[in-house]
Amino acid sequence: MKRLAILGASYLQEPLYRKAKEMGHFTIGFAWAEGAVCANIADKFYPISILEKDEILKVCEQENIDGILSIASDVAVNPWFYIAQKLNLPSNSINCGEICADKYKMRFELQKRNLPCPKFKLYSEPASLTFETRQIIKPIDRSGSAGVSVLEIGENAFDKMKTAIDISFAKKCIIEDFIEGNEYSVECISQNGVHTVLAITEKVTTGAPHFVETAHLQPPLNLSNQQLAKILDLVPNLLEGLNIQEGASHVEVKVDNSSVHCIEVGARMGGDFIGSDLVYLSTGYDFTKNCIRIALGEQITPFNSNKKASGVIFKSNQNTNRIDQVKNDSGYQVITETEGLFDEKLVSKSSERAGYLIYQK
């Protein structure tokens, strides 16, 4: 039995706790007590914010952990790599964690390496600005669409900048060019600098102003062979550019007719059940188990896809036709369904969504 520290205890981390216990490991959780639904799943739980990396480091030293991990959390990336490196445990570098947890630093690194990303600028105070092209405003260190909004041509940016800055942990935001095109994410696993693309996910969102994700599909339906080739050519360069060498990564891109643009790179598994559920349903590859193996210094299993399809639909008023199609078509199998319904026009971040349905085809 090995001792695995897990940063975070929300519902997003539950598949990680359960998989680690299934593998016979002892789990030690760290998170704010409020909303820590995994506190009762962990073998031992410490109500410490995952931002308190030095305090968690001391506990991990006392607990003599064999590895540390988190999934689907940008906030966890920096303390995760910091603690692992201090304890000589497998992970990406501290510098990688600092870059990947900060949208400004990430874009700066990509730009420096001539990798395709939107033009951007950093702000620490709201300003009465207008632009001649469509822009998007983001806090530099949040995820789940929190604080994200579109700035239309000629619109005063002050209020939306203030919202993004106020919600940011560092009290900073970026304003970047809005990239048109379809949105996809690329789910990858890396060990010793060897990168493997496991799946590509097509995203469905509410659109402007907040682009909250309402469904994910694997494999994508609207991607040509030429576009796919461009994505597969770009992704390893993005991972190398950000020095992602170990574990999961979640690369978000936008694709127009002729170009692929990097929107963000997460040095962690994708949320919204993409990494923890959809990759396994689509490919048969146990992504979560192999991320645990990397964290514990064990060799991962080779990738070999069974080439099925899967998806998650978040249950909104506008998504009822998509849900009915899955439920009424014998070609689909409903894997998980929860109660709840939301209005896409009223949500501004992922945490405001209600029920969901996960399926396999």
Side-chain angles (χ1 to χ4, degrees):
M1 176 185 291
K2 293 189 176 181
R3 301 171 69 81
L4 181 69
I6 298 177
L7 297 185
S10 73
Y11 76 96
L12 291 170
Q13 304 299 326
E14 185 172 347
L16 178 55
Y17 282 91
R18 296 200 181 280
K19 182 61 68 173
K21 291 173 76 68
E22 176 189 305
M23 295 169 69
H25 301 311
F26 187 91
T27 57
I28 304 167
F30 298 89
W32 286 304
E34 183 179 354
V37 299
C38 297
N40 294 327
I41 303 173
D43 294 297
K44 188 178 281 191
F45 179 74
Y46 289 89
I48 304 172
S49 164
I50 62 173
L51 298 177
E52 301 296 334
K53 58 187 181 183
D54 286 308
E55 187 175 349
I56 295 174
L57 173 61
K58 291 178 183 178
V59 176
C60 287
E61 288 175 325
Q62 295 166 3
E63 291 285 356
N64 195 28
I65 65 169
D66 298 293
I68 183 169
L69 188 59
S70 187
I71 61 174
S73 172
D74 286 323
V75 177
V77 165
N78 193 342
W80 164 16
F81 298 169
Y82 174 83
I83 294 164
Q85 291 295 302
K86 291 294 183 180
L87 297 178
N88 294 314
L89 296 171
S91 80
N92 293 303
S93 68
I94 293 173
N95 181 252
C96 174
E98 292 172 347
I99 290 170
C100 290
D102 185 314
K103 292 177 174 61
Y104 170 72
K105 291 180 180 178
M106 180 190 303
R107 281 156 180 72
F108 183 82
E109 291 298 318
L110 296 176
Q111 185 184 67
K112 187 167 70 175
R113 290 165 171 76
N114 294 315
L115 292 166
C117 68
K119 293 180 181 179
F120 62 94
K121 190 171 181 179
L122 179 69
Y123 296 90
S124 56
E125 294 182 359
S128 294
L129 302 173
T130 58
F131 295 84
E132 296 181 356
T133 58
R134 209 177 188 200
Q135 303 287 302
I136 191 160
I137 301 176
K138 301 176 180 180
I140 66 166
D141 49 10
R142 298 300 298 264
S143 57
S145 300
V148 174
S149 58
V150 169
L151 191 68
E152 301 295 346
I153 296 171
E155 180 183 4
N156 192 301
F158 188 92
D159 290 342
K160 291 179 177 179
M161 289 179 70
K162 186 176 187 306
T163 297
I165 290 169
D166 286 347
I167 203 172
S168 164
F169 294 115
K171 303 304 176 189
K172 296 178 182 179
C173 76
I174 55 171
I175 298 182
E176 64 183 23
D177 287 348
F178 181 86
I179 303 297
E180 301 288 351
N182 295 326
E183 188 172 354
Y184 304 90
S185 65
V186 187
E187 323 315 326
C188 307
I189 192 165
S190 305
Q191 188 169 44
N192 299 322
V194 178
H195 311 298
T196 302
V197 172
L198 304 176
I200 297 180
T201 310
E202 183 171 334
K203 296 176 177 290
V204 181
T205 77
T206 58
H210 302 297
F211 294 91
V212 177
E213 293 160 358
T214 60
H216 302 288
L217 303 80
Q218 289 180 5
L221 300 177
N222 299 301
L223 198 61
S224 70
N225 289 336
Q226 183 182 21
Q227 291 168 334
L228 174 60
K230 287 186 176 183
I231 291 173
L232 295 177
D233 184 58
L234 175 62
V235 165
N237 293 326
L238 295 172
L239 299 182
E240 289 298 322
L242 297 175
N243 197 25
I244 295 174
Q245 302 288 305
E246 303 290 340
S249 56
H250 175 74
V251 180
E252 297 182 347
V253 298
K254 273 195 171 182
V255 180
D256 59 24
N257 290 332
S258 58
S259 302
V260 177
H261 308 269
C262 175
I263 302 302
E264 290 183 18
V265 179
R268 43 78 180 173
M269 190 182 288
D272 278 359
F273 311 102
I274 293 171
S276 59
D277 292 71
L278 299 193
V279 168
Y280 181 74
L281 291 170
S282 299
T283 70
Y285 189 78
D286 199 326
F287 197 6
T288 307
K289 178 183 284 188
N290 281 289
C291 286
I292 293 171
R293 285 175 171 157
I294 290 171
L296 295 173
E298 300 171 358
Q299 185 64 38
I300 61 174
T301 56
F303 175 63
N304 185 23
S305 176
N306 61 15
K307 297 182 180 179
K308 291 190 176 182
S310 69
V312 58
I313 304 169
F314 293 94
K315 297 171 73 173
S316 70
N317 294 324
Q318 294 81 0
N319 245 340
T320 53
N321 289 340
R322 190 187 297 268
I323 294 167
D324 290 342
Q325 178 187 356
V326 169
K327 287 186 169 183
N328 297 328
D329 188 330
S330 60
Y332 292 87
Q333 178 186 358
V334 175
I335 304 299
T336 307
E337 182 178 9
T338 66
E339 296 297 323
L341 202 65
F342 67 96
D343 189 331
E344 292 182 13
K345 298 175 183 177
L346 301 179
V347 298
S348 61
K349 54 187 176 181
S350 298
S351 60
E352 295 172 345
R353 298 171 306 192
Y356 60 87
L357 181 150
I358 297 174
Y359 65 87
Q360 186 184 51
K361 185 178 180 182

